Every structure is written in structure tokens, then in C-alpha cells.
Amino acid sequence: MDSTEPPLQGVRVLDFSQFLAGPVAALRLADLGATVIKVERPQGGDIGRKLAFAGRFADGDTVSFHAMNRNKYGITADLKDPADLDRIRSLITTSDVIIQNFRPGVMERIGLDYPSVRALNPAIVYASASGYGDTGPWRDRPGQDLLAQSLAGLPWLSGSAEAGPVPIGLSIADHLTSCHLAQGVTALLVRRFRTGVGGLVETSLLEALLDLQFELLSTRLNDPTVAVRRGGRYAAHAFLPAPYGTYPTQDGHLALAMNPVPELGRLLDLEWLTTLTDETEWWDQQEAIEEALAARLRTETTDHWLKILDAADVWCAPVLTLEQLIDHPGFAAARMTQQVARDGLRLTTTRSPIRVDGEPLTSDRAAPRLGEHNDLIDEGRLG
């Protein structure tokens, strides 16, 4: 294969999933070069077309739908209609991957579960994402990010001891699940290219969030005395001592990671901190240390402290707002944006975070309109 071709060139993916983990897994494969065909119901399509992040729409679809379904082709099919189901079965015979994230039992009732699909195409790679797996007491609960975070205990890991549960303000369960699903698909594709054998890859929001907590769970499972004890108002981690946290400055906030407390005391002219050479004191007097740091840091600007701390190789960073991030040269240097086009619409979105052979993976193909490519694909003109 020409090394300039994307790695998954020639791989065809049928994406039956909708908002959010499944479509983003399919997007990751599309950005790696796969031809992804998004299959939607004729009436309304993917719920993500109307479920608007920040209430924002562009050309009739949500901006978030554009972001997670760009670089795909789109067809419609009523999977309860025998004629449409036959169309899909025909497509399955010429496809390499299926992605679905329906609740457990749905694909079985339709007749598109893995055993049924494997009978049509023994080499198929079948990827399934659910909320909480196919067994257990949570099997039929809605597979939604906040709910998964809550069941996995994540909201008790952020915030101070005085705060209530603090969920992560992004769809972290969905995004992590999409990464694991795409990784599983690519692994099974490698196996298939070696052996000719397809396979089934499964994961869930719950498993993704349990994996995220591998340090915490491994520690607790081997030591039952380990418990979540959140710190004071500046602490950023329930299992790390001072100075780990975020602190107010005169004009913003500064993050301090793992750093020797006496060294910070010397740099910030806080004599008491220079005496804390026993690291157990960084735990025992955590809140007092953090309060002393906060009182000192708020007397000057973030840039003032960065000049001092960066020169001493202290692990620190400014806590940027959304506006500051987008305006920062560091954001531009990452080259994480691209433009996609659909008719008269041009929309700026993010690209794949992967670079291959030194180059970022980009595409200007926008998300498809509902059923946009029905004729192209039904007539076999997609290639």
C-alpha cells in the first residue's frame, strides 16, 4: 500500500450507532481512512441531530452532530421494514466492520446481532458499546454519561470535602468508550488481516470509567482502608498531598502539581513551608499549606509567579479559561482545528488527535444530511 494512503483505506464500516460513544468510535475509524456509512432511521435520524450541545445548530443539525459525524456517508433504513432490512443485509456482506450501541437485546430482535451478522459475513468485525454490559443489575439502565459517571463514583473524586458530588463537565464516559471501541476494532482488523477471522469487540460506559480509575481501584482492592477523602477548597486530587491543587492569583488561577513543599516555600518567600522537610507533614497539614500558598499567590499576577516558578523548573501551569485557551499560541501550535463543508456551510471543528508519519489526519467532509447518500450506496457507486 502507498504509505501516503491513510492506514484504514479500503475498510468499510457500517455505523448503526447514535449519540455519542458509537458515532465517535466510527469517526475515529473514518479519520484513519475507513469509509464509514452512517445508517439512520428515516424519521428524524440520529437523536444527536437535535440534542444540541450549548443549544447550537448549523444548517439544520446540531454543531455537536456535525463534530461527531463528519467524514461519513449517510443512508436511511427502517430496520423493522423487511425491504430495508434486506438492503442492510446486502451491505453487510460487503462491509468489514459494524458498530452499534443500542440497548442490550435490540439488535437480537432485529436480527442483526453478532451471530446473525457473522452468518452473512464470517469475516465481519462487530463492535458493540452499551451502558453497563449485557449482564448485571444495571443492564437495562439508560446508557448516559452523567448516569454512568454517577454509578462509577466519579463525582466524589472532584471538588472539596465541603462540596457535594462534582461530575466531570464533559462526556468523558462516552469519549473513553469510543477510544476503547475503536482500539478493539483496529486490533480485530489486524487479526483478520493475519488469519481471516473476524470477531466481536464489546465495551461499555461503565467499563471505560472503571478502567479510568485503575490506580484507585487497584489500591483499594488491595487495601480496604483506602477511602476517598477530598481535601480543602484548593486541592485538586483526593489522593495526593499539598501542594497539588489550583490557587487564585491576582488576575486568574495557577495550578501546582507534585512539588517539594520546602522548595515552594523558598521560591515564594514562605518561611514556614521551608521547614516542612518531612513529607508526611504535606498530608497532615495539607489544608494549612494550601491556605498559605493561596494567600501568597493571590498577591501577584499569574505571569509574575510563572516567571519565578518556571525558572526553577517547578511543575505548574496557568488555569486557562475557554477564551484564553482559544486565543493562546499553544492552541494554534497544536493545529487541532479543521474546516468541513456541506453545500454553503463551512464549519470549524476539531480534527483527529492522531498524527501519522508526522502529519495530522484531516478531512473536509462534513456530516451527511439525513439519507444524503442513499442512491450512491444503493446503486453501488461508492466503491
Side-chain angles (χ1 to χ4, degrees):
M1 186 182 75
D2 186 341
S3 63
T4 62
E5 289 184 352
L8 295 184
Q9 182 87 19
V11 172
R12 175 176 283 192
V13 178
L14 292 183
D15 176 16
F16 291 92
S17 62
Q18 58 180 341
F19 188 87
L20 188 158
V24 177
L27 172 65
R28 298 187 190 284
L29 301 176
D31 282 342
L32 286 165
T35 298
V36 175
I37 301 171
K38 184 173 180 64
V39 183
E40 300 179 80
R41 56 185 179 177
Q43 297 79 27
D46 185 339
I47 59 172
R49 288 186 182 272
K50 300 301 178 187
L51 192 59
F53 186 99
R56 298 302 194 270
F57 285 80
D59 194 31
D61 293 315
T62 65
V63 172
S64 53
F65 178 87
H66 283 284
M68 71 183 74
N69 290 288
R70 58 177 178 74
N71 208 9
K72 300 179 185 180
Y73 296 88
I75 64 171
T76 53
D78 181 352
L79 299 180
K80 297 179 181 178
D81 178 83
D84 273 6
L85 199 52
D86 283 344
R87 287 172 56 224
I88 294 303
R89 288 194 177 111
S90 178
L91 270 178
I92 287 171
T93 63
T94 60
S95 296
D96 301 288
V97 178
I98 281 179
I99 294 178
Q100 67 90 13
N101 65 348
F102 292 107
R103 285 195 189 187
V106 171
M107 291 299 261
E108 285 81 358
R109 289 194 294 272
I110 296 170
L112 293 179
D113 54 305
Y114 176 56
S116 301
V117 167
R118 184 177 55 187
L120 293 170
N121 183 348
I124 200 79
V125 171
Y126 192 104
S128 179
S130 64
Y132 313 98
D134 291 337
T135 60
W138 298 333
R139 175 183 187 271
D140 295 319
R141 296 194 70 85
Q144 193 276 334
D145 200 277
L146 174 61
L147 308 184
Q149 284 193 46
S150 299
L151 288 172
L154 250 66
W156 292 114
L157 299 178
S158 299
S160 68
E162 290 75 29
V166 182
I168 296 170
L170 291 169
S171 299
I172 188 169
D174 282 297
H175 281 274
L176 288 173
T177 301
S178 78
C179 292
H180 298 315
L181 203 63
Q183 180 185 25
V185 167
T186 52
L188 286 186
L189 284 173
V190 170
R191 184 179 76 179
R192 197 190 76 176
F193 295 150
R194 287 191 297 105
T195 68
V197 177
L200 170 66
V201 58
E202 300 172 282
T203 190
S204 66
L205 304 183
L206 178 65
E207 288 164 293
L209 292 182
L210 296 181
D211 176 74
L212 177 64
Q213 299 177 80
F214 73 98
E215 292 175 295
L216 169 58
L217 292 175
S218 296
T219 305
R220 170 57 190 251
L221 291 170
N222 289 282
D223 182 351
T225 67
V226 172
V228 176
R229 294 184 178 89
R230 294 181 295 175
R233 53 182 170 165
Y234 304 114
H237 202 297
F239 296 94
L240 291 175
Y244 201 92
T246 56
Y247 299 89
T249 66
Q250 197 175 82
D251 62 349
H253 288 80
L254 182 73
L256 293 174
M258 295 81 72
N259 291 286
V261 169
E263 175 68 0
L264 284 175
R266 183 185 68 79
L267 293 168
L268 302 178
D269 197 22
L270 290 168
E271 185 176 353
W272 172 56
L273 298 191
T274 66
T275 67
L276 302 178
T277 55
D278 182 351
E279 293 187 18
T280 60
E281 295 180 289
W282 307 355
W283 281 109
D284 297 341
Q285 303 198 59
Q286 182 176 6
E287 288 195 43
I289 294 169
E290 291 167 355
E291 290 290 346
L293 287 169
R296 179 69 173 132
L297 291 169
R298 65 165 51 98
T299 63
E300 297 286 354
T301 66
T302 301
D303 282 345
H304 172 88
W305 295 122
L306 285 173
K307 289 175 183 175
I308 294 171
L309 298 176
D310 284 344
D313 199 26
V314 169
W315 287 13
C316 63
V319 182
L320 300 181
T321 64
L322 175 62
E323 294 76 15
Q324 289 170 333
L325 167 65
I326 290 174
D327 290 340
H328 200 282
F331 180 79
R335 296 188 295 159
M336 268 299 296
T337 63
Q338 62 182 1
Q339 283 204 327
V340 295
R342 190 174 81 181
D343 298 332
L345 172 71
R346 293 196 67 82
L347 192 71
T348 302
T349 184
T350 53
R351 61 162 174 85
S352 167
I354 297 172
R355 296 186 303 279
V356 173
D357 297 328
E359 293 298 323
L361 301 173
T362 60
S363 170
D364 62 0
R365 178 181 296 278
R369 295 187 184 279
L370 186 60
E372 180 178 348
H373 302 106
N374 278 336
D375 291 343
L376 179 72
I377 292 166
D378 287 347
E379 295 168 9
R381 292 186 286 115
L382 180 58

CSV table of all heavy atoms in Angstrom, one decimal, residues 159-163 229-240 286-287 290:
chain,number,residue,atom,x,y,z
A,159,GLY,N,-13.7,18.3,43.5
A,159,GLY,CA,-14.2,19.2,44.5
A,159,GLY,C,-13.6,19.1,45.9
A,159,GLY,O,-12.8,18.2,46.1
A,160,SER,N,-14.1,19.9,46.8
A,160,SER,CA,-13.5,19.9,48.1
A,160,SER,C,-14.4,19.0,49.0
A,160,SER,O,-15.5,18.6,48.6
A,160,SER,CB,-13.5,21.3,48.7
A,160,SER,OG,-14.9,21.8,48.9
A,161,ALA,N,-13.9,18.8,50.2
A,161,ALA,CA,-14.6,18.0,51.2
A,161,ALA,C,-16.0,18.6,51.5
A,161,ALA,O,-16.9,17.9,51.9
A,161,ALA,CB,-13.8,17.8,52.5
A,162,GLU,N,-16.1,19.9,51.4
A,162,GLU,CA,-17.4,20.6,51.8
A,162,GLU,C,-18.4,20.5,50.6
A,162,GLU,O,-19.6,20.8,50.8
A,162,GLU,CB,-17.1,22.0,52.2
A,162,GLU,CG,-16.4,22.2,53.5
A,162,GLU,CD,-14.9,21.9,53.4
A,162,GLU,OE1,-14.4,22.1,52.3
A,162,GLU,OE2,-14.3,21.5,54.4
A,163,ALA,N,-17.9,20.2,49.4
A,163,ALA,CA,-18.8,20.2,48.3
A,163,ALA,C,-19.6,18.9,48.1
A,163,ALA,O,-19.2,17.9,48.7
A,163,ALA,CB,-18.0,20.5,47.0
A,229,ARG,N,-11.1,10.8,50.4
A,229,ARG,CA,-11.2,11.9,51.4
A,229,ARG,C,-10.7,13.1,50.7
A,229,ARG,O,-9.5,13.4,50.6
A,229,ARG,CB,-10.4,11.6,52.6
A,229,ARG,CG,-10.9,10.4,53.4
A,229,ARG,CD,-10.1,10.2,54.7
A,229,ARG,NE,-10.6,9.1,55.5
A,229,ARG,CZ,-10.2,7.8,55.4
A,229,ARG,NH1,-9.2,7.5,54.5
A,229,ARG,NH2,-10.7,6.9,56.1
A,230,ARG,N,-11.7,13.9,50.2
A,230,ARG,CA,-11.4,15.1,49.4
A,230,ARG,C,-10.8,16.1,50.4
A,230,ARG,O,-11.1,16.2,51.6
A,230,ARG,CB,-12.6,15.6,48.7
A,230,ARG,CG,-13.1,14.7,47.6
A,230,ARG,CD,-14.3,15.2,46.9
A,230,ARG,NE,-15.4,15.3,47.7
A,230,ARG,CZ,-16.6,15.9,47.4
A,230,ARG,NH1,-16.7,16.4,46.2
A,230,ARG,NH2,-17.6,15.9,48.2
A,231,GLY,N,-9.9,17.0,49.8
A,231,GLY,CA,-9.2,18.0,50.7
A,231,GLY,C,-10.0,19.3,50.8
A,231,GLY,O,-11.2,19.4,50.6
A,232,GLY,N,-9.2,20.3,51.0
A,232,GLY,CA,-9.7,21.7,51.1
A,232,GLY,C,-10.1,22.3,49.8
A,232,GLY,O,-10.1,21.6,48.8
A,233,ARG,N,-10.4,23.6,49.8
A,233,ARG,CA,-11.0,24.2,48.7
A,233,ARG,C,-10.0,24.4,47.5
A,233,ARG,O,-10.5,24.7,46.4
A,233,ARG,CB,-11.6,25.6,49.0
A,233,ARG,CG,-10.7,26.5,49.8
A,233,ARG,CD,-11.3,27.8,50.1
A,233,ARG,NE,-10.5,28.6,51.0
A,233,ARG,CZ,-10.7,29.9,51.3
A,233,ARG,NH1,-11.7,30.5,50.6
A,233,ARG,NH2,-10.0,30.5,52.1
A,234,TYR,N,-8.7,24.2,47.8
A,234,TYR,CA,-7.8,24.4,46.7
A,234,TYR,C,-7.2,23.0,46.2
A,234,TYR,O,-6.5,23.0,45.2
A,234,TYR,CB,-6.6,25.2,47.1
A,234,TYR,CG,-7.0,26.6,47.7
A,234,TYR,CD1,-6.9,26.9,49.0
A,234,TYR,CD2,-7.7,27.5,46.8
A,234,TYR,CE1,-7.3,28.2,49.5
A,234,TYR,CE2,-8.1,28.7,47.3
A,234,TYR,CZ,-7.9,29.0,48.6
A,234,TYR,OH,-8.4,30.3,49.1
A,235,ALA,N,-7.5,21.9,46.9
A,235,ALA,CA,-7.0,20.6,46.5
A,235,ALA,C,-7.6,20.2,45.1
A,235,ALA,O,-8.7,20.4,44.8
A,235,ALA,CB,-7.3,19.6,47.6
A,236,ALA,N,-6.8,19.5,44.4
A,236,ALA,CA,-7.2,19.0,43.0
A,236,ALA,C,-7.2,17.5,42.9
A,236,ALA,O,-7.5,17.0,41.9
A,236,ALA,CB,-6.3,19.6,42.0
A,237,HIS,N,-6.9,16.8,44.0
A,237,HIS,CA,-6.8,15.3,44.0
A,237,HIS,C,-7.0,14.8,45.4
A,237,HIS,O,-6.4,15.2,46.3
A,237,HIS,CB,-5.4,14.9,43.4
A,237,HIS,CG,-5.4,13.6,42.9
A,237,HIS,ND1,-5.6,12.4,43.6
A,237,HIS,CD2,-5.1,13.1,41.6
A,237,HIS,CE1,-5.5,11.4,42.8
A,237,HIS,NE2,-5.2,11.8,41.6
A,238,ALA,N,-7.9,13.8,45.5
A,238,ALA,CA,-8.2,13.2,46.8
A,238,ALA,C,-7.1,12.3,47.3
A,238,ALA,O,-7.1,11.9,48.5
A,238,ALA,CB,-9.5,12.4,46.7
A,239,PHE,N,-6.1,12.0,46.5
A,239,PHE,CA,-5.1,11.0,46.9
A,239,PHE,C,-3.7,11.6,46.7
A,239,PHE,O,-2.7,10.8,46.6
A,239,PHE,CB,-5.3,9.7,46.1
A,239,PHE,CG,-6.6,9.0,46.4
A,239,PHE,CD1,-7.7,9.2,45.6
A,239,PHE,CD2,-6.7,8.2,47.5
A,239,PHE,CE1,-8.9,8.6,45.9
A,239,PHE,CE2,-7.9,7.6,47.8
A,239,PHE,CZ,-9.0,7.8,47.0
A,240,LEU,N,-3.6,12.9,46.6
A,240,LEU,CA,-2.2,13.5,46.6
A,240,LEU,C,-2.2,14.6,47.6
A,240,LEU,O,-3.2,15.4,47.8
A,240,LEU,CB,-1.9,14.0,45.2
A,240,LEU,CG,-1.7,13.0,44.1
A,240,LEU,CD1,-1.6,13.7,42.7
A,240,LEU,CD2,-0.5,12.1,44.4
A,286,GLN,N,-2.1,19.5,55.2
A,286,GLN,CA,-2.4,19.8,53.8
A,286,GLN,C,-3.2,21.1,53.6
A,286,GLN,O,-2.8,22.0,52.9
A,286,GLN,CB,-3.3,18.6,53.2
A,286,GLN,CG,-3.6,18.8,51.7
A,286,GLN,CD,-4.3,17.6,51.1
A,286,GLN,OE1,-4.7,16.7,51.8
A,286,GLN,NE2,-4.6,17.6,49.8
A,287,GLU,N,-4.3,21.2,54.4
A,287,GLU,CA,-5.1,22.4,54.2
A,287,GLU,C,-4.4,23.7,54.6
A,287,GLU,O,-4.5,24.8,54.0
A,287,GLU,CB,-6.4,22.3,55.0
A,287,GLU,CG,-7.4,21.3,54.3
A,287,GLU,CD,-8.8,21.4,54.8
A,287,GLU,OE1,-9.3,22.5,55.0
A,287,GLU,OE2,-9.4,20.3,55.1
A,290,GLU,N,-2.0,24.6,51.9
A,290,GLU,CA,-2.7,25.2,50.7
A,290,GLU,C,-3.2,26.6,51.0
A,290,GLU,O,-3.2,27.5,50.1
A,290,GLU,CB,-3.9,24.3,50.4
A,290,GLU,CG,-3.5,22.9,49.8
A,290,GLU,CD,-4.6,21.9,49.7
A,290,GLU,OE1,-5.7,22.2,50.3
A,290,GLU,OE2,-4.3,20.8,49.2
